[in-house]
Amino acid sequence: MIKMDSQSQELFKKAMGDYPTGVTIVTTTDADGIPVGLTVNSFASVSLEPTLILWSIDHKVSSLKAFTEGRGFAVHILSEDQQELCKTFASKNVDRFGNCSWELSDNFLPIIDGARAVLQCKTFKTVEAGDHTILIGEVIDISLNEKNPMLYHRRKFGPIPSEFYS
Ligand SMILES: Cc1cc2nc3c(=O)[nH]c(=O)nc-3n(C[C@H](O)[C@H](O)[C@H](O)COP(=O)(O)O)c2cc1C
């Protein structure tokens, strides 16, 4: 393993923080049926046949076991008006599901209202990768609405600039 010094680690964080992404909230239910979820921007598309996506979870996340040992998860691609929700699902000591409207799907996955898109996934594979686990999901249900997605860049959230829609 190549050991990066702290200066190189800072450069790595800066380079990755400069890479614009959307933002998602990923949810599932734990072994007791309690909904869990967190804000995620490591989400990416992987394959069309089968339809696969991935995201990675930090080993420090409180709901790690629920995701790595569970059978599936729901990825919510957030809308531009869901910035508060995005912060709520990245904050400690808040009642995440008490601060939003949600319901359980037929796949027993918590689905939060108002996302740009929701991809319900069956866990296809988990891959250990350093201090994270990569979760690859096979998409089993997709819903999409007319809202615009949210953009995340340099730790700030915002709408997609209007020139992208002209
Ligand atoms: C924009 C944004 C993107 C994030 N992406 C990820 C991610 O891809 N994987 C991850 O494990 N944590 C990610 N986080 C951090 C988690 O949302 C945060 O640590 C959360 O509080 C973890 O849940 P816990 O408090 O239940 O441990 C992200 C946070 C933000 C604000």
Side-chain angles (χ1 to χ4, degrees):
M1 185 174 78
I2 301 162
K3 181 81 185 141
M4 272 195 166
D5 60 25
S6 59
Q7 206 182 346
S8 306
Q9 280 187 350
E10 281 313 308
L11 270 181
F12 175 71
K13 282 195 219 163
K14 199 157 186 250
M16 297 313 293
D18 237 15
Y19 179 60
T21 64
V23 187
T24 70
I25 290 175
V26 187
T27 62
T28 192
T29 41
D30 70 12
D32 299 321
I34 309 288
V36 292
L38 71 155
T39 298
V40 162
N41 76 335
S42 54
F43 169 69
S45 166
V46 174
S47 155
L48 195 55
E49 278 185 26
T51 312
L52 302 177
I53 57 90
L54 68 73
W55 64 287
S56 64
I57 186 166
D58 192 317
H59 291 164
K60 292 200 247 1
V61 169
S62 62
S63 50
L64 175 70
K65 228 173 147 188
F67 284 105
T68 56
E69 294 180 6
R71 283 190 295 186
F73 50 83
V75 180
H76 303 72
I77 298 178
L78 297 187
S79 312
E80 59 186 358
D81 61 359
Q82 290 185 304
Q83 295 186 23
E84 277 312 309
L85 203 60
C86 168
K87 288 179 196 158
T88 300
F89 275 77
S91 304
K92 302 270 175 206
N93 306 319
V94 286
D95 178 6
R96 293 178 183 172
F97 288 89
N99 276 293
C100 63
S101 167
W102 64 276
E103 58 183 23
L104 269 191
S105 74
D106 293 345
N107 302 308
F108 298 102
L109 296 172
I111 307 299
I112 300 167
D113 286 351
R116 158 68 181 153
V118 182
L119 309 178
Q120 294 188 59
C121 301
K122 189 162 105 51
T123 305
F124 183 80
K125 201 178 211 178
T126 60
V127 181
E128 290 305 305
D131 54 16
H132 280 57
T133 299
I134 299 167
L135 284 125
I136 303 174
E138 180 165 7
V139 180
I140 51 173
D141 185 273
I142 304 177
S143 65
L144 198 67
N145 72 19
E146 295 304 312
K147 291 183 172 188
N148 293 330
M150 188 198 298
L151 185 65
Y152 181 68
H153 186 48
R154 294 186 178 171
R155 297 185 176 210
K156 292 203 171 99
F157 310 95
I160 310 273
S162 57
E163 57 263 34
F164 284 87
Y165 295 113
S166 55

